[in-house]
Amino acid sequence: MKIFLCSLFLITSTIILGQLNIEALKTSEKITLDARLDEDIWNKVEWKSNFTQLKPVPGNKPSKPTEVAITYNEEALYFGVKCYDEGDSVSRVLSVRDDFNPNLDLIGIFLDTYNDRQNGFFFGVTSMGVQIDSKIFNGDYNDLLNLVWNSKTLIKEDGWFAEIKIPYSAIRFPKEEVQNWNINFGRAISRFREENTWFPVNPDLENYLLESGKIKGIKGIEPPLRLALIPYLSSYVNYSKENGASTSYNGGMDIKYGINEALTLDVTLIPDFGQVVFDEQVLNLSPFEIRFNENRQFFTEGTELFTKSGLFYSRRIGVQAPNAVLTNNLEENEELTNVPSASKLLNASKVSGRLNNGLGIGIFNGITAPQNGTALNTNDGTEREVMISPLSNFNVIVFDQNLKNNSFVTLTNTNVWREGSFYDANVTGI
């Protein structure tokens, strides 16, 4: 009954308040990120308060007041934040990036730039200045995406304060004269285990995009050119008593290009994932494949569309082929004695984004090089080189349409083609 009454209170409050708006004022003044908020523009902007408690008691007045304001220029959005509190009570826990835990005092910004209430961005900063960001996708948060933005915090006697700069290059938005964005703010006060939001959020859903206010006044901004070329050169030295020292060199490049304000092209050429963590060894006694976590950056950033249907498992690309492929060319009484740990990934590319009409498009392609191993004849002890994984092409196509009432329809096709007599695969899901 208590939960029901709290939910009813939030719904009633939202109806009474109507749509909450926050005005963004354009400025030509240079803003120094020092969290002092002493530029003239911060005296002219509209500061918003009246936050509502989400936890522990939905609908209650927050124990500490919070104020937020927005300004912008041709380059970026700027947020000013005042988290009033007793200075000696503010959390001073220092964490790593993207590690949200209940011991942190935090301010969060939820941006829905395409006004579909399903897809957006989260930017958060703790009282100690640690950044937390993620891509919001149908209520899920992909915190593997690390965007480039700036923030500064300052703890004083009357609380802690923050200035946040979010460049337009870090977000995606339509190319329109007047922007129509949804926004919400959240504040966490660790010692009270308290969470507050600017726009009231239903505790049964905790969907900060579905229940959000509006930013007014942003106009005349252009999506910037998004182009990044990241070359690399790596070298490895291996030493063993039997073979002595051996050296290898690798080189390649990552490319990121914004085709337009919605679609982004990512390409990796001859990548080197030597810095990626090792998988734990697992004894698999089941007939099913073990699914390991993906740690390679190219396969974790911007893959929300590809993983939505549950059909795309990126660890099959550039990792040791399944047993049915490895043993395809073995003859009777033969077994593999030398199996390389991974196939060489020649290149991978993906195009992903969401159009103004809510249609999400994702196209992925990856090519792995042939891989040879050693086959041992258990009868006579002879060995021969055998192809265990051929030239392979992996392809995924996704169409995801947002519908009304926070619903959607998704069509996904995955395809694997292998050269020669090795088996191929094609799976489609809707």
Side-chain angles (χ1 to χ4, degrees):
M1 178 61 70
K2 184 177 181 181
I3 295 176
F4 171 76
L5 291 176
C6 290
S7 301
L8 181 63
F9 170 81
L10 286 174
I11 296 171
T12 306
S13 299
T14 303
I15 294 174
I16 294 174
L17 291 172
Q19 180 67 60
L20 293 179
N21 298 322
I22 183 169
E23 189 76 19
L25 187 63
K26 191 171 185 178
T27 182
S28 58
E29 183 180 5
K30 180 181 178 181
I31 297 178
T32 302
L33 293 184
D34 54 12
R36 299 185 182 279
L37 303 171
D38 52 5
E39 288 86 2
D40 289 340
I41 187 63
W42 295 121
N43 297 320
K44 301 175 183 178
V45 295
E46 178 186 27
W47 288 90
K48 289 289 187 177
S49 54
N50 297 324
F51 277 55
T52 302
Q53 194 174 128
L54 175 62
K55 295 177 182 179
V57 184
N60 271 17
K61 183 179 179 180
S63 59
K64 303 295 178 182
T66 308
E67 295 182 5
V68 292
I70 306 175
T71 184
Y72 72 100
N73 56 22
E74 303 294 339
E75 178 191 1
L77 288 171
Y78 294 85
F79 293 86
V81 182
K82 300 176 181 179
C83 298
Y84 293 104
D85 205 340
E86 291 79 31
D88 57 357
S89 298
V90 174
S91 172
R92 286 170 168 78
V93 174
L94 190 62
S95 64
V96 298
R97 179 169 177 150
D98 293 330
D99 179 26
F100 177 77
N101 66 72
N103 298 314
L104 304 175
D105 283 358
L106 173 76
I107 189 71
I109 303 167
F110 303 83
L111 272 179
D112 173 16
T113 55
Y114 281 93
N115 195 29
D116 62 8
R117 300 187 183 275
Q118 296 187 47
N119 306 278
F121 301 89
F122 170 76
F123 299 89
V125 62
T126 72
S127 55
M128 293 297 290
V130 179
Q131 294 183 346
I132 302 173
D133 55 11
S134 59
K135 182 76 178 294
I136 306 175
F137 190 77
N138 295 107
D140 294 327
Y141 291 76
N142 177 12
D143 58 7
L144 298 173
L145 176 66
N146 288 326
L147 302 170
V148 180
W149 52 289
N150 305 98
S151 60
K152 181 67 176 179
T153 60
L154 179 66
I155 300 176
K156 299 195 293 186
E157 292 182 358
D158 54 346
W160 66 279
F161 303 83
E163 273 184 307
I164 300 171
K165 176 184 178 181
I166 302 178
Y168 301 134
S169 58
I171 58 178
R172 308 289 178 266
F173 55 91
K175 191 174 183 179
E176 298 175 352
E177 174 63 22
V178 178
Q179 299 297 326
N180 183 25
W181 297 354
N182 298 322
I183 191 171
N184 206 347
F185 299 91
R187 178 186 176 184
I189 307 176
S190 61
R191 69 183 187 280
F192 299 143
R193 294 299 186 260
E194 180 178 323
E195 295 181 23
N196 305 312
T197 62
W198 172 60
F199 192 94
V201 173
N202 188 333
D204 295 330
L205 301 176
E206 290 196 30
N207 192 323
Y208 294 84
L209 295 187
L210 183 62
E211 297 166 297
S212 56
K214 289 285 186 182
I215 304 180
K216 298 294 185 180
I218 298 180
K219 58 183 179 181
I221 64 173
E222 293 285 337
L225 173 66
R226 293 179 283 116
L227 175 62
L229 304 176
I230 309 172
Y232 83 89
L233 179 65
S234 62
S235 175
Y236 295 89
V237 177
N238 298 307
Y239 177 81
S240 66
K241 291 182 179 180
E242 294 80 11
N243 302 317
S246 62
T247 305
S248 62
Y249 298 92
N250 299 292
M253 176 180 289
D254 288 348
I255 302 172
K256 183 182 289 287
Y257 172 64
I259 300 174
N260 56 28
E261 65 273 13
L263 299 176
T264 301
L265 169 67
D266 291 277
V267 179
T268 181
L269 303 174
I270 318 178
D272 178 15
F273 299 116
Q275 82 286 1
V276 176
V277 298
F278 288 101
D279 295 318
E280 294 183 357
Q281 289 189 339
V282 178
L283 177 61
N284 183 17
L285 301 179
S286 75
F288 305 106
E289 178 183 24
I290 297 175
R291 296 180 71 94
F292 291 99
N293 291 332
E294 178 60 88
N295 297 300
R296 298 171 295 177
Q297 186 177 10
F298 181 85
F299 294 100
T300 58
E301 288 193 352
T303 57
E304 298 86 5
L305 279 170
F306 301 102
T307 58
K308 189 170 184 177
S309 64
L311 297 178
F312 177 57
Y313 179 41
S314 59
R315 286 299 301 268
R316 296 196 183 104
I317 303 172
V319 182
Q320 187 186 86
N323 190 66
V325 176
L326 294 177
T327 58
N328 187 78
N329 284 336
L330 292 184
E331 298 176 354
E332 189 177 359
N333 299 320
E334 282 188 338
E335 61 181 30
L336 290 173
T337 59
N338 181 20
V339 180
S341 60
S343 299
K344 189 175 184 61
L345 182 63
L346 296 179
N347 70 75
S349 59
K350 60 178 184 281
V351 175
S352 61
R354 191 171 295 274
L355 306 180
N356 292 347
N357 60 3
L359 175 63
I361 300 174
I363 301 174
F364 173 90
N365 185 265
I367 300 175
T368 59
Q371 184 184 44
N372 294 323
T374 303
L376 171 67
N377 190 307
T378 56
N379 285 343
D380 55 21
T382 58
E383 293 182 340
R384 68 183 182 96
E385 188 176 68
V386 58
M387 178 176 287
I388 59 175
S389 183
L391 178 71
S392 302
N393 183 85
F394 301 81
N395 192 71
V396 184
I397 299 177
V398 180
F399 296 99
D400 176 67
Q401 179 64 56
N402 289 339
L403 303 175
K404 292 182 178 180
N405 302 319
N406 206 35
S407 56
F408 58 86
V409 58
T410 300
L411 174 68
T412 302
N413 174 263
T414 67
N415 181 275
V416 181
W417 170 85
R418 294 182 174 91
E419 184 182 23
S421 60
F422 293 84
Y423 77 90
D424 304 326
N426 190 82
V427 178
T428 301
I430 186 168

